[in-house]
Every structure is written in structure tokens, then in C-alpha cells.
Amino acid sequence: MNNILYPLCACVAFLGFIYKLRVLRTNHSPAQIALIGNFFFQAATFTVSSPPVWVAISRNVGIVNFSGLLSQSTVILLTACQQLVLLHLTHERRVAWRKAKPRLIALCLILAAMVTLFSMATSSHENPNDFAVSKAQYYPAYLSVYLVGYTVNQVDVGLMGWRFAKVAPSPWLRRGFIVVAISMPLSMVYAGCRAADIIAGQFGVSGHSWEPVAQVSVAVASIVLAIGWTLPDWGRHLSTVWEWANCHWAYRQLSPFHAKVTSQAADVVLDPGPTDIRTRLYRLVVELRDAQWALRTWMSPSVAEEVRQKAVAAGLRGDELAATVEAARLAAALQAKTRGIRPAEHSNSPLEAEPQDLAAELTFQRKVARAFTASPIVSAVLMLTPGSHPSQEHA
């Protein structure tokens, strides 16, 4: 399995390394340098862990399973980089280095212990596919030190991600922190498998049966981390694409509604000429509101009260209730004007809600449009108007 997963993870990490490397042209902050280091060591870890590379490196160095020590050492180094990234993103530089110092010292001690314990162990053949399982069974002290360093740091990174997501200054940085934190459970699955390897080895049993779980969990955790670390950079492009798509969808949704409403209030429609989609959408919303006021004298208060009672009985509340009432009043007004039946008494205001900004207004008008075309309550009220209310008379 690692013949496929590990090269894939190495490619993802290398792409992240190349993507972040360009930032050095304009940003030499410790956080950016540490993030580049994170991707470099992550790419190195999975490259070395790929069986053909593993065997070649160990053979050239002349130490059996040297690639195992190298790959697990780069894991410790990338965790140090992750610590530096989070600390420098969330603290002033002096404070970040002060908090990082004990973490870095601890990681250096773990690396030294790993090298010492590895040199004391002996291996008769290369284990590119089951190095950790073999070490857990025959040299548990080495793997225990590595596992403690890995687990403590991944828990620390995950908790910092959750904590810092609450105070992140931008939406995509917050989402990036959340994704980083989400990787922690996957890392803990890997750590649990390695702990199980150590325990099983003490009873003369190997952990080969759950080794695929360990490999998949660490691979997926690494990909999730790569997404989280880069999300603040490319996430804003997703926002741009989403905004563009949402504007076009809103325009397509509101255009038929706009055409029906303004068919009886043509004076409110202007020809702004060729404009971008946001301007056209803004004009659409403004003209819909203008049309409502133009049709106000055709709106019967009794219709509004009737549809409000039906909507409340149907369980509608808040904006859904207001949108349904507005849609029904508009539909009834259009029908009344088409038939030339003006109510003896009309509403003072055609509005049921007054959103405070364009985004809220657009969201509300889309709800009105949906109710206008699909609400059974609106259809039911139209069956009774105009002409069914005693207050109505021919104009």
C-alpha cells in the first residue's frame, strides 16, 4: 500500500513546498519559513518512506534501515516546523520564540535519543514496508521515544489549531486552523496503531494486521494538514469563484420574478446598458422594491392578514413568514391590477421586512421569489382574490 500512498503524499507535500516557496520573494517571516520547512520535511518523509528510495538510501549510506531513522527524524523536524508556524501566527515574535524554545529543546532531545537507540539496535535486512512494526517488536524503546515525540506534538498542534481558530483575523485563516485541527484524530489513529505495535510485540505478536490502517491514517492526516496550511492562501480564490457563481445563480433566479413583478410597473425599470453581473443584480433588487411601492395601491390589507394567518398556521416564522406574505401580496396585487379591481383600502407599506444591507436584501428577495413561484399558501390566496373580498370594488 505504501508503494502508492507514500509517493502520493510526497507529491502533495512537494507541491505545497513549491507553492509556498514563492512567498519568500515578499515575506521572510518566521511563520512562512517554518511552513516551507514543514512541507520540505513532509515531502522528504514520504519520499524516503517509498520502498525503492528507502532501499537505495540505506544501501548508499551503508547502514541497514538507515532510511527508517531518516524518515522518522524528518517527522520530528516537521512537527517542530508546525509548532513554529502556529506560534508565530498567533503571537508577537518575541513571545512566539519564548514559547517555542522548550518545545524545540524537547524535540532535539527526542532526536538525540532516537539516534542513540537506533545505533544500539541491529538489523539484518531492510524493512521498507514494516520498519515500525519490526522496531516495535524487537526494539520497542526506539519506537516508544519516537511515538511520544510525535503524539505529544500532534496533540499540541491540534489543540492550538482549535484554540487559534476562534481568534483568527480572517475567515480563511480560521478555516485553515480548523482543518489543521481536524488532522489530529487521524494522527491519533496512526499513533494508536504504533502503540498497539509496541504492546503486541511484548507478547510475541506483530502488528502487520493493522499496518494498512496506520499507513492510510498517517497519509490522509498529512494531506489534510497540507490543505489546512495552504487554505488561507488559495481559499480566497474559492470565495471569488463562489461569489461569481452565486451572483449568476441569484440573477437567474430573480430575473423571471422581476419580469413578472415589473410587467405591471414598467416605469421602475431602467436600462443601465452593459454592466457587470453585480451591478445588474443590484439594479434588479432596487427595481423589485420600487415595483412593490408602485403596486402598493393594489394591495389589500385583508389579503396580507389572510396569508399571514395561513403561513403562521403552516409553521413559518421569521424571514420565511415575511417572504411568503410579501410574495402573496405581490401576486394578489398583480392579479388585481390585471383585472382592474382596486381594493377600497390599500396597505400603507408593501414591505414585511426591511433587510439592513444588500447581501441581506438579496437573500430575502430570493426567498420572496421562491415563495412567489412555489408556495402553496400563495397559490391558495390567489384562488380567493380578487373579487372574493367584500372590500374590493371595480376601479
Side-chain angles (χ1 to χ4, degrees):
M1 183 176 293
N2 55 6
N3 286 311
I4 298 174
L5 280 178
Y6 289 176
L8 173 62
C9 292
C11 288
V12 171
F14 182 72
L15 290 174
F17 172 74
I18 296 299
Y19 180 77
K20 295 302 297 183
L21 197 60
R22 63 183 179 82
V23 179
L24 283 181
R25 293 177 299 180
T26 57
N27 187 344
H28 295 84
S29 67
Q32 290 296 340
I33 294 174
L35 191 53
I36 291 171
N38 166 74
F39 281 116
F40 173 79
F41 289 123
Q42 186 175 338
T45 298
F46 286 106
T47 299
V48 172
S49 298
S50 300
V53 180
W54 177 295
V55 174
I57 291 176
S58 293
R59 182 184 298 121
N60 289 327
V61 174
I63 300 175
V64 178
N65 285 322
F66 173 79
S67 295
L69 173 63
L70 179 59
S71 64
Q72 292 183 339
S73 296
T74 53
V75 169
I76 299 300
L77 291 172
L78 72 87
T79 60
C81 291
Q82 291 172 1
Q83 297 276 358
L84 290 174
V85 171
L86 287 169
L87 290 171
H88 278 90
L89 283 176
T90 52
H91 295 90
E92 184 268 335
R93 180 175 296 194
R94 182 179 57 82
V95 176
W97 280 118
R98 177 170 57 80
K99 289 180 175 291
K101 188 178 297 184
R103 291 175 166 88
L104 296 178
I105 292 173
L107 290 174
C108 287
L109 292 174
I110 286 172
L111 276 175
M114 287 173 58
V115 172
T116 302
L117 292 170
F118 181 87
S119 64
M120 295 170 60
T122 58
S123 298
S124 59
H125 63 280
E126 295 289 345
N127 301 104
N129 294 305
D130 60 354
F131 173 77
V133 175
S134 176
K135 280 289 183 284
Q137 189 167 12
Y138 300 108
Y139 303 101
Y142 167 83
L143 189 64
S144 297
V145 171
Y146 163 73
L147 189 58
V148 168
Y150 174 83
T151 303
V152 170
N153 279 278
Q154 289 306 306
V155 169
D156 196 19
V157 167
L159 293 178
M160 280 196 292
W162 282 120
R163 186 164 62 251
F164 298 154
K166 300 176 182 178
V167 295
S170 66
W172 283 110
L173 185 59
R174 180 174 65 253
R175 292 163 188 155
F177 280 147
I178 291 174
V179 174
V180 166
I182 288 173
S183 71
M184 185 179 69
L186 295 167
S187 300
M188 292 304 99
V189 172
Y190 169 77
C193 289
R194 292 290 171 247
D197 290 339
I198 295 173
I199 296 171
Q202 305 311 300
F203 295 93
V205 181
S206 75
H208 285 92
S209 58
W210 56 77
E211 183 62 13
V213 177
Q215 294 177 4
V216 170
S217 60
V218 74
V220 175
S222 298
I223 293 174
V224 171
L225 275 169
I227 294 172
W229 293 129
T230 56
L231 192 58
D233 291 323
W234 54 267
R236 63 180 185 274
H237 300 301
L238 291 181
S239 294
T240 301
V241 172
W242 168 252
E243 182 181 5
W244 178 87
N246 191 48
C247 283
H248 278 78
W249 173 243
Y251 190 83
R252 291 184 61 183
Q253 186 178 22
L254 288 178
S255 288
F257 176 54
H258 173 271
K260 290 180 180 179
V261 172
T262 58
S263 63
Q264 296 296 330
D267 293 344
V268 305
V269 180
L270 301 178
D271 182 13
T275 56
D276 62 273
I277 184 64
R278 287 180 58 85
T279 303
R280 296 201 304 272
L281 192 58
Y282 174 74
R283 285 300 315 163
L284 216 64
V285 171
V286 171
E287 289 169 2
L288 279 169
R289 281 306 195 195
D290 290 344
Q292 281 183 277
W293 282 98
L295 293 168
R296 176 176 62 90
T297 58
W298 297 90
M299 295 180 181
S300 169
S302 60
V303 171
E305 184 58 32
E306 185 173 344
V307 70
R308 188 175 293 107
Q309 292 177 1
K310 290 181 179 294
V312 170
L316 299 184
R317 299 291 185 274
D319 281 352
E320 295 296 336
L321 171 62
T324 301
V325 174
E326 279 199 15
R329 296 176 71 185
L330 270 171
L334 291 172
Q335 183 171 275
K337 188 172 182 181
T338 300
R339 297 181 181 181
I341 304 174
R342 189 188 297 273
E345 181 183 356
H346 60 73
S347 303
N348 293 325
S349 172
L351 309 181
E352 292 292 325
E354 297 187 42
Q356 298 303 305
D357 54 51
L358 180 59
E361 181 69 70
L362 179 58
T363 300
F364 182 74
Q365 287 290 357
R366 294 173 76 173
K367 291 180 180 180
V368 176
R370 285 194 294 269
F372 186 88
T373 56
S375 173
I377 297 174
V378 174
S379 300
V381 171
L382 280 182
M383 295 294 293
L384 303 175
T385 58
S388 61
H389 295 278
S391 60
Q392 292 174 330
E393 60 183 22
H394 288 284

